[in-house]
Amino acid sequence: KLAASHVAVLGMGGVGSWAAEALARSGVGALTLVDLDVVCVTNVNRQVLATDASVGASKADTMAARVRDINPLCDVRIVRDFVSEANVEAILGLENNLNRLIDDAAGAIDFVVDAIDAEKDKAAVIACCVHHRVPVITVGGAGGVDALGDVVVEDLSKATFNRLCQRVRRLLRRDYAFPRGEERTPREIYGAPGGRDPKKGEGVDAKETKARGKGKKKGKQGKFGVK
């Protein structure tokens, strides 16, 4: 089943690069890797594709070469672009016209990994996938997270203590008419196993996320690790 699957990974950063490698090592038959950014020396502490030799190279090209070394049978496609509301359907091959940016030979995309940073673009990806009934997993901010109990997989409507996920959820409700999830009381939220109270200043950094490769000048980004 994995060998017949086609997965799109959007963003070759601290999450997307590792996700792409894991998928390649798991035997996924086709991967579409999407990113317009280039490798920076500040990426070396957390991105699997970043080495001294790859600094300045295209992230998508670098990751594609790595995937082919790991799994020569994997059909790797590259889209050198940033994802936005204007091009997400074309990038995912969901348009039946000449604007498609992936080849039909790889087959329809079965699953999407959203590992991009900008909340507006994340919301557009999720809305597009839901509209076209394509399964999608989106990731929040992971920098500085060092306890496995803080890593959870759940419906976005129930996500707590992650500002990026919260902003994406707000945009989906405001701009794409997504419904609200199940309401929970503060006791139920703060009493959840492994949860952290943001009032104590713990957990993910609340700084604004980098958008579309431009970002803000700041120090080295935190790694995702385990105490």
Side-chain angles (χ1 to χ4, degrees), residues 20-72:
E21 172 144 338
L23 290 166
R25 293 184 183 278
S26 298
V28 169
L31 285 172
T32 293
L33 309 179
V34 183
D35 206 318
L36 184 60
D37 207 355
V38 297
V39 181
C40 176
V41 67
T42 59
N43 301 150
V44 175
N45 73 324
R46 67 193 184 282
Q47 299 180 15
V48 70
L49 53 75
T51 64
D52 186 65
S54 67
V55 169
S58 161
K59 286 187 176 182
D61 289 311
T62 302
M63 195 67 227
R66 186 175 177 91
V67 167
R68 292 185 181 110
D69 279 344
I70 294 169
N71 182 4

Side-chain angles (χ1 to χ4, degrees), residues 131-154:
H131 176 72
H132 290 281
R133 300 182 181 275
V134 178
V136 57
I137 185 169
T138 188
V139 298
V145 176
D146 58 6
L148 287 179
D150 292 342
V151 183
V152 295
V153 179
E154 63 180 351

Side-chain angles (χ1 to χ4, degrees), residues 210-227:
K210 177 170 67 69
R212 305 184 64 73
K214 297 177 182 178
K216 297 180 179 179
K217 186 176 181 180
K218 55 185 178 181
K220 185 168 64 175
Q221 294 187 21
K223 292 184 291 185
F224 178 90
V226 181
K227 283 183 177 178

Side-chain angles (χ1 to χ4, degrees), residues 92-150:
L92 297 180
L94 299 172
E95 285 188 343
N96 295 318
N97 57 39
L98 296 178
N99 291 328
R100 294 183 60 148
L101 298 182
I102 65 169
D103 197 319
D104 285 330
I109 287 175
D110 300 299
F111 198 90
V112 174
V113 179
D114 161 36
I116 56 182
D117 294 331
E119 52 263 29
K120 288 184 179 180
D121 300 333
K122 292 176 80 69
V125 168
I126 296 168
C128 176
C129 289
V130 170
H131 176 72
H132 290 281
R133 300 182 181 275
V134 178
V136 57
I137 185 169
T138 188
V139 298
V145 176
D146 58 6
L148 287 179
D150 292 342

Side-chain angles (χ1 to χ4, degrees), residues 68-79:
R68 292 185 181 110
D69 279 344
I70 294 169
N71 182 4
L73 298 179
C74 184
D75 186 357
V76 187
R77 306 302 169 96
I78 300 170
V79 178

